[in-house]
Amino acid sequence: MPAFDEKLAQRIDTYIESLFVPADPILAANIANADAAGLPAINVSPNQGKLLYLLARIAGARRVLEIGTLGGYSTTWLGRALPANGRLITLEFSPVHAATARKNLAAAGLDGIAEVTVGDAAASMNAMIDAGEPPFDLIFIDADKTGYVKYLDLALQLSRPGTVIVADNVIRNGAVMEENPEDPNAQGAKAYNAAIATHRRLESIAVPLFRDEIDGIAISRVK
Ligand code: SAH
Ligand code: DHB
Ligand code: MG
């Protein structure tokens, strides 16, 4: 079997981006601001951002929940998919990340749609459940991978039939295929994949994607 051709995979990613994701000064500034604020460069790729945007559009989403904001790069893609009266709540543990995201979302003209909630995502989700928050149309899970199964359980309590649940980083360069992955992130992602694969309330698939290494997203629909 020929070895995986990383250069070819990179060229394909660039080819897709050049066709489908035109350069965008707002998104470029988002990344530059995050970098200047010392945030890690672990945002979704441009092609993944476009995919999230399209999933939200296809779902006709008006209410989106994001778990893991960072500097608001994926938030911007998701926010742009919503109608003017749409609502996006994004959950972030780090006050520094949240402040950077708020600035970036204002610069993108999304401050009327997107709200950054600071704190532990599970605590924020439990508070929303207790407060009777209406269900979301799309939920994007992208915070600490060790919490993915817990976030899934809480996301289901904030869902209705038809809600789309998307999770990032579910392949981890294949580490999720190890019987007992050493990397706690891979352990979390592996447990998440197993959970969505058999969950009675979900129909799911995982899609491998290439960026700096092979990773992937999981897409589920609530029955
Ligand atoms: N969705 C972003 C990337 C998120 S990176 C994008 O693609 O642009 C993961 C983020 O989750 C980090 O900002 C990290 O601070 C945050 N995070 C980690 N653990 C968390 C927790 N328990 N609750 C809320 N946010 C958390
Ligand atoms: C990490 C987190 C992410 O959400 C990501 O897309 C890539 C890496 C990380 O914590 O290493
Ligand atoms: Mg991610």
Side-chain angles (χ1 to χ4, degrees):
M1 200 167 61
F4 178 70
D5 188 338
E6 208 166 292
K7 278 215 179 89
L8 176 61
Q10 231 139 31
R11 280 175 51 222
I12 292 169
D13 192 56
T14 303
Y15 164 75
I16 293 170
E17 185 178 332
S18 67
L19 273 178
F20 299 109
V21 192
D24 181 319
I26 301 267
L27 290 171
N30 177 300
I31 297 297
N33 292 338
D35 196 45
L39 274 52
I42 54 174
N43 49 278
V44 297
S45 70
N47 291 345
Q48 262 182 288
K50 180 71 181 280
L51 177 58
L52 287 172
Y53 166 87
L54 273 175
L55 286 170
R57 296 284 287 174
I58 292 164
R62 294 177 166 275
R63 291 174 45 77
V64 167
L65 175 65
E66 177 178 65
I67 301 156
T69 315
L70 195 65
Y73 182 82
S74 54
T75 322
T76 301
W77 276 106
L78 287 165
R80 285 178 170 178
L82 302 185
N85 65 351
R87 179 128 178 89
L88 195 168
I89 298 174
T90 181
L91 311 179
E92 174 55 55
F93 189 75
S94 155
V96 173
H97 295 188
T100 307
R102 283 190 185 119
K103 268 191 234 161
N104 278 332
L105 292 165
L110 291 168
D111 41 343
I113 286 180
E115 183 192 322
V116 186
T117 301
V118 181
D120 172 61
S124 300
M125 293 170 86
N126 274 311
M128 282 192 276
I129 293 162
D130 291 346
E133 179 78 24
F136 292 92
D137 306 311
L138 185 146
I139 300 176
F140 177 48
I141 303 176
D142 193 21
D144 54 308
K145 318 306 162 200
T146 51
Y148 268 30
V149 171
K150 174 181 63 189
Y151 298 139
L152 174 66
D153 177 56
L154 296 167
L156 279 160
Q157 297 178 61
L158 292 162
S159 295
R160 48 143 178 101
T163 293
V164 177
I165 301 177
V166 182
D168 191 28
N169 310 113
V170 299
I171 300 298
R172 308 299 293 186
N173 213 31
V176 293
M177 294 185 294
E178 292 164 23
E179 198 169 309
N180 290 303
E182 229 176 276
D183 173 15
N185 288 325
Q187 279 172 28
K190 182 186 174 86
Y192 181 86
N193 292 337
I196 61 167
T198 55
H199 201 289
R200 63 172 178 84
R201 282 188 65 199
L202 295 173
E203 302 178 289
S204 305
I205 189 66
V207 183
L209 291 169
F210 182 84
R211 191 161 43 149
D212 301 320
E213 56 173 28
I214 300 178
D215 211 321
I217 61 165
I219 305 172
S220 303
R221 181 187 179 278
V222 179
K223 288 186 200 164

